[in-house]
Amino acid sequence: MALLKIRQFGDPVLRERATEVDRIEDVHRRLVADMLDTMRAAPGVGLAGNQVGVLDRIFVWQNEEESGAFVNPRITHHSSKTEIDDEGCLSIAGLAYPVERSYEVTVAALDMDGRSIEIEAAGHFARICQHEIDHLDGILFIDRLPDELKKEALAILRDQALGLAPVRPPPPEETF
Ligand code: ZN
């Protein structure tokens, strides 16, 4: 079991676009095993390549008892129905805010054997997929907040960095 360092807000790697994986090799399988360990130890329920400093389009997830990894994931369908729910991030340690997301998404990806898969996710799992694919595009959940809330979140992060505000990690099931 190898735990990777989770990059934190302010690290430029979180603002990069990760690139497609051409061929899934053993190095990617080892990376995914380490990312799953790191996600569980954090603890959280999703982790994207950027968050461990690797700019490959890969994320790992935990959905109740099931877990897995998607390579080169893309959303092929968003439901028009949306849901607002609290969301935190392993790379933004002490914040959670309500974020509006599509309630259902269809995700096309490769599994770790390189096979094309397509899954339909709803609710919390759909939220994890959208949050992680945002990471792979260099987008953070605070970017999805209305301007006023984003300003407030950035002010709290500044105060936390200066030791002026407490860091209160959200519950693991809201952290990805
Ligand atoms: Zn995150």
Side-chain angles (χ1 to χ4, degrees), residues 46-48 51 88-92 131-132 135 139-141 175-176:
L47 189 68
Q51 291 180 281
C89 179
L90 292 172
S91 296
I92 307 180
H131 180 112
E132 298 310 328
H135 271 304
I139 297 168
L140 299 172
F141 82 90
T175 315
F176 18 98

Side-chain angles (χ1 to χ4, degrees), residues 93-150:
L95 279 189
Y97 274 93
V99 180
E100 184 171 20
R101 300 278 187 185
S102 292
Y103 179 69
E104 286 169 305
V105 291
T106 306
V107 179
L110 299 176
D111 68 14
M112 291 318 292
D113 296 316
R115 287 184 295 243
S116 295
I117 51 171
E118 195 169 66
I119 57 117
E120 283 170 23
H124 187 244
F125 188 37
R127 178 171 299 275
I128 295 170
C129 292
Q130 291 170 85
H131 180 112
E132 298 310 328
I133 291 170
D134 271 357
H135 271 304
L136 299 175
D137 290 327
I139 297 168
L140 299 172
F141 82 90
I142 54 173
D143 302 331
R144 300 279 184 200
L145 300 176
D147 284 348
E148 277 309 299
L149 279 187
K150 183 175 182 182

